Amino acid sequence: MPRWLTVAAAQSGPISRDETRADVVERLVAQMREAHKQGCQFIAFPEVALTAFFPHWWIEDEAELDAWFETEMPGPDSQPLFDEAARLGIGFQLGYAELAVEDGRKRRFNSSVLVSADGAIIGRFRKMHLPGHIERRPDNPFQNLEQRYFERGNLGFQTWAGFGGRVGMCICNDRRWPESWRVLALKGAEIVFCGYNTPDNIPEHPEMDHLVAFHHQLCMQSAAYLNGMWTVGVAKAGIEEGVSQLGLTSIVAPSGQIVAQASTLGDELVVYRCDLDLSTEHRRLFNFERNRRPEFYGQISEQK
Ligand code: CDV
């Protein structure tokens, strides 16, 4: 018996620096309504979906930096998204920059929430793998200051029961690390949502620019195939404040095949009716229980 979940991966076109959160949320609500019209039960939005991707800029002033973060979720600007989800009965995943006070201090994370069809938060994730640098690189055409502005996530990789299956989340650079996906798979994820902001060029390594799209797809497709799960990558695409970002929002089946993909660099819904049971079937074929035997792989220690 198939277990159907119709998913929309909601690619965002660029968000300008002076676009308000309320304006952006209006765009996301329009995508949510369209997804509902197309019969989707779930919609996934990109990494840091409520604003432009500010780690591309050097920001010295702390108050100015804090202004890019959400101190509550939902907050006054994002509440309409939660209200609309509950009204339509559609679940969603939303990436955002999170400012929390924990252990008596201010902490900044690159986060996402998983929201049920009645508008309640059922899962939280904080990005584990932070790319980029801490110092300013004045010769680069844009910065990549995630290591400066965020702390590594402290919630690990978790999965949640919902939408007829088991769901996981990771964020952008997490997709380049096999451990992210394998841990999610071992925790039962049948479908994993991954929002991203990926420049289509690498200032320090222009010789690798032509491989950016290939490496993105390689990660998403191999993760799906090697772990027997659906992977859904959701881009913030197009030229945002001078930074040209990859599109290629896509839905990948447990076979590793791309079954739906964006064809623009703007706001675009990528919709597919996913059978979550394909994950179970694929894993039965692989038989992790019998064939995955870390105890025989040899001691894991760095060989110098
Ligand atoms: N937001 C990201 O994590 N971006 C990185 C880029 C900077 C390499 C990525 O892995 O796509």
Side-chain angles (χ1 to χ4, degrees):
M1 275 283 285
R3 265 184 301 137
W4 297 116
L5 177 66
T6 305
V7 168
Q11 178 170 289
S12 280
I15 298 175
S16 68
R17 196 172 179 146
D18 56 10
E19 208 165 329
T20 66
R21 284 174 177 75
D23 287 343
V24 175
V25 167
E26 247 179 60
R27 279 166 63 178
L28 305 186
V29 165
Q31 288 183 305
M32 186 178 267
R33 287 185 183 142
E34 179 56 31
H36 179 256
K37 210 184 283 177
Q38 292 189 36
C40 298
Q41 289 110 32
F42 192 88
I43 179 166
F45 296 108
E47 173 189 34
V48 184
L50 298 174
T51 65
F53 197 67
F54 60 89
H56 288 155
W57 314 311
W58 178 256
I59 302 170
E60 254 167 328
D61 180 74
E62 189 165 343
E64 193 189 330
L65 178 62
D66 286 352
W68 292 100
F69 286 76
E70 313 303 312
T71 53
E72 47 183 344
M73 186 52 66
D77 291 319
S78 48
Q79 186 66 52
L81 196 60
F82 285 71
D83 293 344
E84 192 62 8
R87 192 182 74 78
L88 298 170
I90 186 170
F92 70 96
Q93 181 226 243
L94 178 74
Y96 67 104
E98 177 188 11
L99 182 62
V101 177
E102 276 179 11
D103 306 325
R105 67 185 177 89
K106 198 189 273 189
R107 306 185 69 172
R108 299 186 183 91
F109 299 101
N110 188 338
S111 302
S112 59
V113 283
L114 184 69
V115 181
S116 67
D118 57 7
I121 292 177
I122 56 173
R124 291 175 187 279
F125 174 70
R126 290 170 171 167
K127 185 173 180 175
M128 302 291 287
H129 301 92
L130 299 174
H133 40 95
I134 296 171
E135 76 294 353
R136 185 178 205 167
R137 298 197 172 163
D139 294 335
N140 282 9
F142 59 88
Q143 306 296 305
N144 185 9
L145 292 159
E146 284 197 61
Q147 292 205 0
R148 184 179 188 87
Y149 298 155
F150 299 119
E151 280 184 59
R152 172 171 303 131
N154 58 357
L155 301 177
F157 288 103
Q158 298 183 53
T159 63
W160 298 272
F163 312 103
R166 187 156 277 276
V167 179
M169 299 188 280
C170 64
I171 300 179
C172 198
N173 197 263
D174 288 322
R175 74 193 187 289
R176 303 189 192 276
W177 305 90
E179 295 86 351
S180 311
W181 304 103
R182 182 48 62 98
V183 169
L184 287 164
L186 292 174
K187 292 186 175 184
E190 295 170 305
I191 186 163
V192 176
F193 299 98
C194 178
Y196 56 94
N197 282 265
T198 299
D200 64 14
N201 61 98
I202 309 170
E204 292 87 355
H205 293 283
E207 76 285 359
M208 290 180 73
D209 286 354
H210 68 292
L211 294 174
V212 170
F214 168 66
H215 285 155
H216 158 68
Q217 290 185 331
L218 184 64
C219 292
M220 300 306 293
Q221 291 182 257
S222 60
Y225 174 67
L226 296 174
N227 295 291
M229 57 197 188
W230 293 86
T231 65
V232 180
V234 193
K236 170 103 76 54
I239 300 177
E240 185 181 87
E241 297 293 341
V243 182
S244 180
Q245 300 220 105
L246 196 68
L248 297 179
T249 290
S250 49
I251 299 177
V252 182
S255 61
Q257 290 166 295
I258 297 171
V259 292
Q261 189 164 62
S263 57
T264 72
L265 292 173
D267 288 9
E268 181 181 345
L269 282 190
V270 174
V271 173
Y272 196 76
R273 190 171 178 236
C274 305
D275 177 5
L276 299 182
D277 258 358
L278 289 185
S279 172
T280 318
E281 278 174 31
H282 190 90
R283 284 182 188 160
R284 203 174 290 137
L285 202 72
F286 269 58
N287 198 340
F288 274 26
E289 295 284 302
R290 193 186 61 203
N291 297 320
R292 190 184 158 275
R293 304 300 292 268
E295 66 273 31
F296 299 139
Y297 297 166
Q299 203 178 349
I300 300 175
S301 60
E302 298 257 337
Q303 310 260 305
K304 299 255 160 52

